[in-house]
Amino acid sequence: MNPKSRTLKVYPKHRTSRGLPTIVPEIRLIGKWLRDLGFRQGQTINLALEKNRVTITVESDGK
């Protein structure tokens, strides 16, 4: 399986920051589809950040 796109939900994450309860956005990436795309445990990834866009690229094999 090599999907062209995925639809995921942005979840609320409750945490404490500087002693104050805060809710921040959380995106969960998990599944066999990541493995099918070439992502492996231990790899280092790079996130390129733009408004409304995150691009994930494998930097190394983590070996």
Side-chain angles (χ1 to χ4, degrees), residues 38-53:
F39 290 90
R40 301 285 181 260
Q41 295 176 21
Q43 289 177 316
T44 300
I45 59 171
N46 180 56
L47 303 179
L49 308 175
E50 300 175 49
K51 178 114 176 127
N52 295 316
R53 181 184 303 229

Side-chain angles (χ1 to χ4, degrees), residues 3-29:
K4 299 276 183 194
S5 67
R6 302 291 291 195
T7 300
L8 302 172
K9 184 174 181 177
V10 178
Y11 292 93
K13 176 75 173 184
H14 299 265
R15 69 180 193 188
T16 302
S17 177
R18 299 180 184 165
L20 299 173
T22 305
I23 299 174
V24 296
E26 175 182 67
I27 300 170
R28 300 173 191 162
L29 296 176

